[in-house]
Structure formats: C-alpha cells, structure tokens
Amino acid sequence: MSSRSRPRARPSPAARITDEQIGDLVSKLQALLPEARLRSSNDRVPSARVLQETCSYIRSLHREVDDLSERLAELLAAADVSTAQAAVIRSLLM
C-alpha cells in the first residue's frame, strides 16, 4: 500500500501551526546560518531556500566534525600517551 492511499489523521486545530509561526521559525533558522548574516535584514529569502541552505550547512558541519575527528585520532595515535598534552586531550574528550 502506498503512502498516498493511506488516510491521514488530521491534526486538531490547536495542533496546527500557522503561516505566521512558520515564517517566524524560518526567520529564526535563517539567523543561525552564516550565509544569512551576510545579507541585508531587508532581503526576503524564500523558505525553501532557507531550508536548502540549512541542510547544506548541516552537511558541512558533519564533514567538519568528521575531519576534526580524524585529525584528533591521528594526533592521539602519534602522541606519547604519557605526556601532559595527551592527558589534556583525554580530559577534554571525557
């Protein structure tokens, strides 16, 4: 059975989100994006664009975390585990 043929439960009127609330949430999300900080506050950006930029930004953050994790693993593998530097790194990871 496809997802289109299943009946959907309708949210209660109290559970529905308004267009104004969506616009407010998208504005807040846009303010968190580095690209958005470069734009004028008067520039109107479509919600779909904000969501695309958010997804791209999250993907770039994931790549950055992966890269930093690899670098940290290499540093820990190369470091003398008995040094003060290694102890500091371990304490930061715990």
Side-chain angles (χ1 to χ4, degrees), residues 5 10 12 23 28 43-44 48-49 51 65-66 73 86-87 92 94:
S5 62
R10 297 210 176 238
S12 68
K28 289 177 181 177
D43 289 348
R44 171 83 172 105
R49 175 70 185 235
L51 294 173
V65 166
D66 290 343
L92 291 172
M94 302 294 165

Side-chain angles (χ1 to χ4, degrees), residues 43-63:
D43 289 348
R44 171 83 172 105
V45 179
S47 296
R49 175 70 185 235
V50 172
L51 294 173
Q52 288 172 333
E53 289 179 5
T54 301
C55 291
S56 295
Y57 183 55
I58 290 170
R59 279 191 291 273
S60 74
L61 289 174
H62 278 288
R63 283 191 301 270

Side-chain angles (χ1 to χ4, degrees), residues 9-91:
R10 297 210 176 238
S12 68
R16 289 189 183 141
I17 188 165
T18 66
D19 288 345
E20 183 178 329
Q21 290 169 317
I22 291 172
D24 185 48
L25 292 170
V26 169
S27 294
K28 289 177 181 177
L29 185 60
Q30 184 178 7
L32 297 172
L33 298 173
E35 298 88 12
R37 293 184 192 133
L38 301 175
R39 291 189 192 110
S40 166
S41 60
N42 296 332
D43 289 348
R44 171 83 172 105
V45 179
S47 296
R49 175 70 185 235
V50 172
L51 294 173
Q52 288 172 333
E53 289 179 5
T54 301
C55 291
S56 295
Y57 183 55
I58 290 170
R59 279 191 291 273
S60 74
L61 289 174
H62 278 288
R63 283 191 301 270
E64 188 174 347
V65 166
D66 290 343
D67 292 344
L68 291 171
S69 295
E70 286 178 24
R71 288 176 51 196
L72 180 59
E74 290 169 2
L75 286 172
L76 288 174
D80 182 0
V81 291
S82 62
T83 65
Q85 183 181 19
V88 168
I89 292 171
R90 279 194 304 278
S91 71

